[in-house]
Amino acid sequence: MKLDAQFLQETAKLTKKMEQIGKTFEAGELTAIMEKASLPLITDAQRRVNVVTGNLRNAIGFVKRKKSNNVVIVGVRNYGAWNAKGYHAHLLEYGTRPNRKTKGKGQYRAGAKRGGLNPAQFAFMHPAYEANRAKMQTTIFDGVRKLIENKIK
């Protein structure tokens, strides 16, 4: 899920112009703008998720990885552990295929005759992103514009 290519190109052009006049962005300034713009996405995804225990809902947020400037990752914070809270998010978001392994001559293993999940049945991140994409782009664009105006002054 990425922002529109035209939006990214315009931002790159503005950054080049800023560098030409001798002004640059500080490391945390753009990150703060992107985090502010991502808050509606997080709250909408938490609202859309199917709550059984609340672990998956509580695991949705900013994913902290190695320090990278101007990068904000929003998703499920499970950090690779199979038994972490929210480890099953990908199964709900993308679905599963039916499990129909047989023992022979049409006899199914115990518990194996199960259907899969449709990809869009319990999806929560992608619909939340689609619903908030325009708002996020506008917030980022306005924040960068204000930041540029303050740098030029």
Side-chain angles (χ1 to χ4, degrees):
M1 294 184 259
K2 296 182 180 181
L3 296 175
D4 292 340
Q6 181 183 3
F7 177 74
L8 295 174
Q9 290 171 353
E10 293 296 324
T11 306
K13 286 179 187 177
L14 286 174
T15 305
K16 267 187 195 176
K17 288 181 182 179
M18 290 285 292
E19 290 172 356
Q20 288 173 355
I21 62 172
K23 303 283 184 178
T24 58
F25 295 125
E26 299 296 322
E29 291 175 330
L30 290 176
T31 305
I33 292 170
M34 290 188 287
E35 284 180 352
K36 180 182 175 188
S38 300
L39 289 176
L41 171 65
I42 293 171
T43 57
D44 193 20
Q46 288 174 342
R47 183 185 58 79
R48 289 174 186 266
V49 72
N50 186 13
V51 177
V52 176
T53 62
N55 290 338
L56 179 57
R57 180 191 60 221
N58 296 336
I60 297 171
F62 294 113
V63 179
K64 301 295 182 193
R65 297 290 186 207
K66 291 181 181 177
K67 185 164 178 146
S68 299
N69 290 337
N70 305 328
V71 175
V72 175
I73 302 171
V74 175
V76 178
R77 301 173 293 212
N78 63 3
Y79 302 109
W82 71 269
N83 61 350
K85 295 179 180 181
Y87 70 93
H88 60 292
H90 66 285
L91 300 173
L92 294 175
E93 185 71 23
Y94 300 112
T96 60
R97 68 175 205 171
N99 184 2
R100 300 202 182 260
K101 296 181 180 175
T102 61
K103 289 169 66 174
K105 290 216 173 187
Q107 295 178 350
Y108 291 100
R109 291 188 290 121
K113 192 174 181 181
R114 295 184 295 268
L117 293 175
N118 293 329
Q121 189 175 2
F122 295 108
F124 55 94
M125 285 301 291
H126 189 72
Y129 172 75
E130 290 299 325
N132 292 296
R133 180 174 47 182
K135 188 188 315 181
M136 289 180 356
Q137 287 179 348
T138 304
T139 305
I140 292 172
F141 185 74
D142 290 343
V144 170
R145 182 177 46 84
K146 288 177 186 175
L147 187 61
I148 290 171
E149 288 173 354
N150 291 339
K151 290 279 184 181
I152 292 176
K153 287 181 182 179

